[in-house]
Amino acid sequence: MRDLYRLIGLFKPYWPWLVLGIVLSLVTLLSSVALMAIAGWFITAMAIAGINAVSLNYFTPAALIRGAAIARTLGRYGERLVTHEATFRLLARLRTWFYEHIEPHAPAGLEAYASGDILSRIRADIDTLDNLYLRIMAPVVVALLATILFVWILALYSPALALAELGLLLVAGFIVPALVNRLGYHAGRQTVECSARLRTHLVSDLQGMAELKIYGAARAHSASVQAMAHQLAAQQHTSARLNGFSQGALGFCANLAMWSLTVIAIPLINAHTLSSPTLAMLALFALASFEAVMSLPLAFQSLGETMTAARRIFSLIDLPARVSEPASPLPVPQSLSLQLENVTFHYPATNLAAPAVNALHAINLALPAGHKLAIVGSTGSGKSTLIQLLLRFRQVDSGRILLNDRPIELYGSEAIRQRLAVVPQQTHLFNTTLRDNLLLANPQAGQVEIEQACKAALIHDFICEQPQAYETMTGETGINLSGGQARRLAIARALLKPAPVLILDEPTEGLDPLTAEQLLRNIITWVNARQQSLLLITHRLQGLDTMDEIVVMEKGSIVESGRHAELMQAKGRYYDLRSATLSMPARIAHN
């Protein structure tokens, strides 16, 4: 119930829309029942009047019938319009609310979740939440109000009629839905969970289809998807059978109510308490009144799906924060200097067999304003972890990071990230034009600035060769570009960002040595001209002679630091890495 109340609380900004939708639904229902009841009375009264050759005022009932028909039509249209408008507004708000709450958890807090799973929650699970209003809240409220009104109307004619109607409405509107909910809650929950697993697998398989084909695993994964699809179909079949049973039960109760009221009313006619047209009116009134509860079994059947979707969403929202934010953040200065003092960080253990290990241990380094710092080392030495700490995606275990000689925790994380231009190892391109992808870094950038950045990143010539130049579509995740082209486009985007610090994580990965060296020279020229600081993380050691400082890391620790000439003269770890790198082309050529 806590999740239900919490979910209803999210609807608060849209209560006027929700209430108006319920009112229109009630008006439509009452018009429909009135139309059926008055038509029954009118037809019967006209038949009796014709047999007895007496006159009858048919203008009033005809006007009432026409009015009820018009009210039902307008009410139905208005109800559909308002309830769908309310639902679309609500879904849009829920998606924004959900993203705003999970964005601070990225990337550290979401590492345990597959991208397909998160996509399923933000799309399918939030779509499922519209059941709460359309299928649960509105039908239940309308059914409750209508039942009270219908029973009161019948009580004006006879308490026995009211009791019969109330009893059968309770069976159809409470007992049958409760039974359906009990039998179908598990199936509804399993439907949501199985759908989520299926979407997650499909997204993962589509993203990794090339690898699956290379390793011959596509058939096995296809069989796994088929098995999940069959499981989902089985759950949906169970829900469909329950829905069929409930609709049959409600139809039976509606017809039973009509005949019950007819039987009860016959003695009243004999006693001249009721007229014959009134009998027809009450019988059809009883039959039509069950429209109020017809949607309740589906409402209760949808409860399992809705609450499972809500719990899946709240489970992400309620993740503990990995980084604490200051209550009153300091403004981030225009010019930045960064310093790490005795910083230690470890990733949590994934299982008992793989205990936590230090990713960084007692790291001390500085990046003054306008400084160019290169961090080199083999894969797994902790270089990329440094970037995540600087971006406030993670928080240090011990030690401290200073921004302009003040603890970085005193500044807002988002404000810090706005002042850093970063190219991570895994770059993301949106399915839009090359220009739009570039303008994400600086929406005010003009064509000259865009071309300058692309020339520095060695991607301008390629773009100009395309038929649509900068209006060329990148495709989903940049599929229309090669890995090297996508990386250079990401570098151009970072160069466009008006930030005092440029951070590049393996910017020359996937490039040939000559292109990599030229790209690095262009980047150095760019940051020197704009007086930016540069933090370069790489395992390729060419072109580092222009760096102000080079730091060598191994297994999370700094083992050596200095300028290029000093490190080469010392013939330590940097010398060994550079020698091995430079001799690699010769070994390849020899082989």
Side-chain angles (χ1 to χ4, degrees):
M1 293 300 293
R2 175 178 169 271
D3 290 331
L4 180 60
Y5 294 143
R6 186 178 179 185
L7 189 57
I8 293 175
L10 296 175
F11 295 4
K12 187 175 180 180
Y14 304 99
W15 276 119
W17 286 93
L18 304 183
V19 171
L20 180 58
I22 291 173
V23 169
L24 290 172
S25 297
L26 183 60
V27 169
T28 303
L29 173 64
L30 296 179
S31 301
S32 180
V33 174
L35 177 61
M36 179 74 78
I38 296 172
W41 181 92
F42 185 50
I43 292 172
T44 306
M46 289 292 291
I48 294 174
I51 293 173
N52 296 323
V54 296
S55 62
L56 176 69
N57 175 20
Y58 61 86
F59 292 104
T60 300
L64 291 175
I65 291 173
R66 181 168 297 181
I70 294 173
R72 184 180 67 170
T73 302
L74 295 178
R76 182 68 69 191
Y77 177 79
E79 179 257 334
R80 290 288 189 266
L81 183 66
V82 171
T83 56
H84 283 75
E85 178 69 16
T87 300
F88 291 145
R89 287 173 178 262
L90 180 61
L91 292 179
R93 169 57 187 152
L94 285 176
R95 283 198 174 89
T96 304
W97 167 83
F98 182 66
Y99 180 82
E100 288 173 347
H101 280 77
I102 67 170
E103 192 268 342
H105 295 301
L110 304 180
E111 288 176 331
Y113 299 88
S115 59
D117 185 23
I118 296 176
L119 175 63
S120 179
R121 295 178 196 236
I122 200 171
R123 194 196 66 79
D125 287 348
I126 288 197
D127 279 347
T128 303
L129 296 185
D130 68 6
N131 290 339
L132 185 61
Y133 173 61
L134 287 178
R135 292 188 176 182
I136 300 175
M137 286 177 56
V140 168
V141 173
V142 169
L144 181 61
L145 295 176
T147 297
I148 295 173
L149 181 60
F150 294 156
V151 172
W152 174 74
I153 291 173
L154 289 175
L156 296 178
Y157 291 93
S158 168
L161 296 175
L163 287 176
E165 174 81 355
L166 177 61
L168 288 169
L169 281 174
L170 287 177
V171 171
F174 178 74
I175 296 177
V176 172
L179 180 62
V180 169
N181 177 53
R182 182 177 180 85
L183 296 176
Y185 193 92
H186 178 74
R189 185 183 64 189
Q190 289 295 318
T191 297
V192 173
E193 294 175 351
C194 188
S195 297
R197 289 196 303 270
L198 182 58
R199 294 188 194 96
T200 301
H201 276 266
L202 284 173
V203 171
S204 300
D205 289 355
L206 289 174
Q207 290 177 340
M209 184 58 66
E211 289 81 0
L212 291 176
K213 289 185 175 180
I214 289 173
Y215 291 101
R219 188 179 298 276
H221 277 254
S222 177
S224 176
V225 169
Q226 287 288 341
M228 284 185 285
H230 289 314
Q231 183 182 359
L232 176 60
Q235 300 298 335
Q236 292 174 335
H237 180 66
T238 300
S239 298
R241 287 195 304 172
L242 286 173
N243 187 46
F245 161 76
S246 64
Q247 293 304 308
L250 262 65
F252 174 77
C253 289
N255 283 277
L256 183 60
M258 180 182 67
W259 287 107
S260 297
L261 263 68
T262 301
V263 171
I264 295 173
I266 288 174
L268 299 177
I269 293 176
N270 294 331
H272 302 289
T273 304
L274 293 178
S275 64
S276 298
T278 303
L279 171 62
M281 180 187 73
L282 294 179
L284 292 178
F285 176 89
L287 180 64
S289 67
F290 276 76
E291 184 180 339
V293 297
M294 277 293 179
S295 59
L296 292 188
L298 183 59
F300 281 80
Q301 188 177 342
S302 303
L303 189 60
E305 297 180 22
T306 304
M307 297 316 301
T308 301
R311 280 190 285 270
R312 280 171 48 81
I313 289 172
F314 290 142
S315 66
L316 280 186
I317 298 299
D318 297 334
L319 287 173
R322 298 298 182 95
V323 175
S324 58
E325 295 289 341
S328 300
L330 297 176
V332 179
Q334 292 297 315
S335 179
L336 298 184
S337 65
L338 298 167
Q339 186 174 355
L340 281 74
E341 294 184 351
N342 205 33
V343 168
T344 296
F345 175 80
H346 74 278
Y347 292 98
T350 55
N351 52 61
L352 295 177
V357 295
N358 282 343
L360 297 174
H361 179 68
I363 299 296
N364 291 280
L365 57 84
L367 182 65
H371 197 70
K372 297 186 292 295
L373 172 65
I375 301 178
V376 302
S378 58
T379 301
S381 58
K383 306 186 300 298
S384 297
T385 302
L386 283 173
I387 294 180
Q388 297 202 30
L389 293 178
L390 292 175
L391 292 172
R392 296 280 289 151
F393 287 147
R394 303 181 189 273
Q395 197 154 311
V396 301
D397 295 335
S398 62
R400 61 178 186 166
I401 299 177
L402 302 178
L403 191 153
N404 287 25
D405 299 324
R406 307 194 72 169
I408 199 171
E409 291 81 7
L410 298 178
Y411 301 91
S413 299
E414 187 60 31
I416 293 174
R417 290 193 278 269
Q418 290 177 355
R419 305 294 294 147
L420 304 177
V422 183
V423 179
Q425 287 190 34
Q426 300 295 328
T427 59
H428 183 82
L429 299 178
F430 290 90
N431 186 16
T432 182
T433 64
L434 296 171
R435 183 189 304 278
D436 288 341
N437 272 283
L438 291 166
L439 289 177
L440 286 173
N442 184 4
Q444 286 74 41
Q447 182 63 26
V448 174
E449 295 175 90
I450 292 174
E451 291 184 4
Q452 287 177 345
C454 290
K455 288 176 181 177
L458 302 179
I459 192 67
H460 175 71
D461 291 342
F462 163 77
I463 295 175
C464 291
E465 292 171 358
Q466 307 308 304
Q468 295 178 292
Y470 281 88
E471 304 306 320
T472 301
M473 297 294 293
T474 62
E476 187 72 27
T477 66
I479 195 172
N480 295 335
L481 306 178
S482 68
Q485 292 163 351
R487 181 164 292 275
R488 280 178 283 166
L489 188 68
I491 292 172
R493 183 167 61 189
L495 296 180
L496 272 176
K497 185 174 182 178
V501 179
L502 177 63
I503 301 177
L504 305 177
D505 191 356
E506 304 289 359
T508 59
E509 184 69 22
L511 303 180
D512 63 84
L514 291 178
T515 303
E517 188 172 350
Q518 180 62 50
L519 176 61
L520 186 56
R521 284 200 300 267
N522 290 354
I523 292 173
I524 297 297
T525 302
W526 183 279
V527 298
N528 285 339
R530 288 157 180 79
Q531 297 182 336
Q532 287 179 292
S533 303
L534 173 63
L535 176 58
L536 174 65
I537 293 178
T538 182
H539 67 274
R540 302 178 72 163
L541 307 187
Q542 296 91 342
L544 301 184
D545 51 307
T546 58
M547 304 300 292
D548 296 320
E549 184 181 8
I550 301 171
V551 171
V552 183
M553 292 187 64
E554 293 288 345
K555 298 180 179 179
S557 298
I558 295 177
V559 297
E560 198 174 24
S561 64
R563 295 180 67 88
H564 171 76
E566 298 169 351
L567 295 175
M568 290 299 292
Q569 186 176 4
K571 295 188 177 181
R573 183 59 179 152
Y574 177 78
Y575 178 86
D576 294 338
L577 290 172
R578 182 172 171 81
S579 300
T581 301
L582 293 178
S583 64
M584 189 176 299
R587 291 200 303 270
I588 295 175
H590 176 73
N591 291 335

